[in-house]
Amino acid sequence: MSLTAEQKHLQHRATYNAALEHCPARQLLETISSKWVTLVLLELAEGPRRHSELRRRVAGASQKMLTSTLRSLERDGLVLRHVTASVPVRTDYELSPLGRSLLGVVYGLKDWAEASMPAVELARLEHDHVAGETPGLPEAAPGKIETKRNNFSHI
């Protein structure tokens, strides 16, 4: 017997629930929500890169962190690793089709973070002021800082 699209969807939701502690989807969510993963995916979106290129372009990533991130992404099927036998050996990384399918979410998150920073900075200042951690708010009062409108009105 064949399942309808709705039945498949419900079966899938019953199988994976990221709210559950030991769910594989939760583990994947933990991986892809790392700042290093996000930054590496954004860099690889522009095309294949060598490890040394990624290290130069992903500011603040240590060699150990970058290697660990790339191994994790490769294990999850989001990144492909190509080794070319030469002296020295050349290793290139690129997004897999599965990794490319994640880019819309990653770009959306990046765009939201960049567009929302003025509002977040104001909220932080207000919070710290109320908590007594700062002497006072800057000249701009709440509502005077304009934030860019984003494409997330559906959320």
Side-chain angles (χ1 to χ4, degrees):
M1 172 168 104
S2 177
L3 297 177
T4 67
E6 179 64 21
Q7 289 170 325
K8 287 179 184 177
H9 178 72
L10 291 173
Q11 183 179 28
H12 174 22
R13 288 192 67 192
T15 304
Y16 299 110
N17 180 347
L20 300 175
E21 185 177 2
H22 298 291
C23 178
R26 182 179 187 143
Q27 294 163 353
L28 180 59
L29 187 59
E30 288 174 11
T31 298
I32 62 176
S33 62
S34 155
K35 75 175 175 182
W36 299 119
V37 166
T38 301
L39 294 172
V40 167
L41 291 175
L42 288 168
E43 188 56 42
L44 290 176
E46 297 183 21
R49 299 275 189 253
R50 295 179 76 174
H51 190 284
S52 58
E53 278 182 281
L54 286 169
R55 183 137 182 253
R56 278 192 307 273
R57 297 174 70 106
V58 179
S62 68
Q63 182 170 344
K64 181 179 177 181
M65 180 56 69
L66 185 57
T67 298
S68 172
T69 299
L70 287 166
R71 284 182 182 157
S72 175
L73 290 170
E74 183 182 8
R75 180 174 184 257
D76 288 340
L78 301 173
V79 167
L80 302 172
R81 184 168 141 266
H82 303 285
V83 179
T84 305
S86 62
V87 179
V89 174
R90 179 183 171 119
T91 306
D92 293 281
Y93 297 90
E94 69 175 316
L95 291 177
S96 69
L98 186 60
R100 288 209 167 276
S101 74
L102 184 57
L103 286 178
V105 174
V106 172
Y107 281 128
L109 187 58
K110 174 187 169 288
D111 292 346
W112 179 89
E114 291 171 349
S116 299
M117 272 316 299
V120 170
E121 287 174 339
L122 180 59
R124 287 175 179 172
L125 285 170
E126 290 173 347
H127 177 273
D128 293 349
H129 177 69
V130 169
E133 297 173 14
T134 59
L137 291 173
E139 295 282 326
K144 290 191 177 180
I145 294 180
E146 291 186 30
T147 60
K148 291 184 202 173
R149 187 166 179 104
N150 59 42
N151 296 336
F152 302 101
S153 59
H154 63 283
I155 296 178

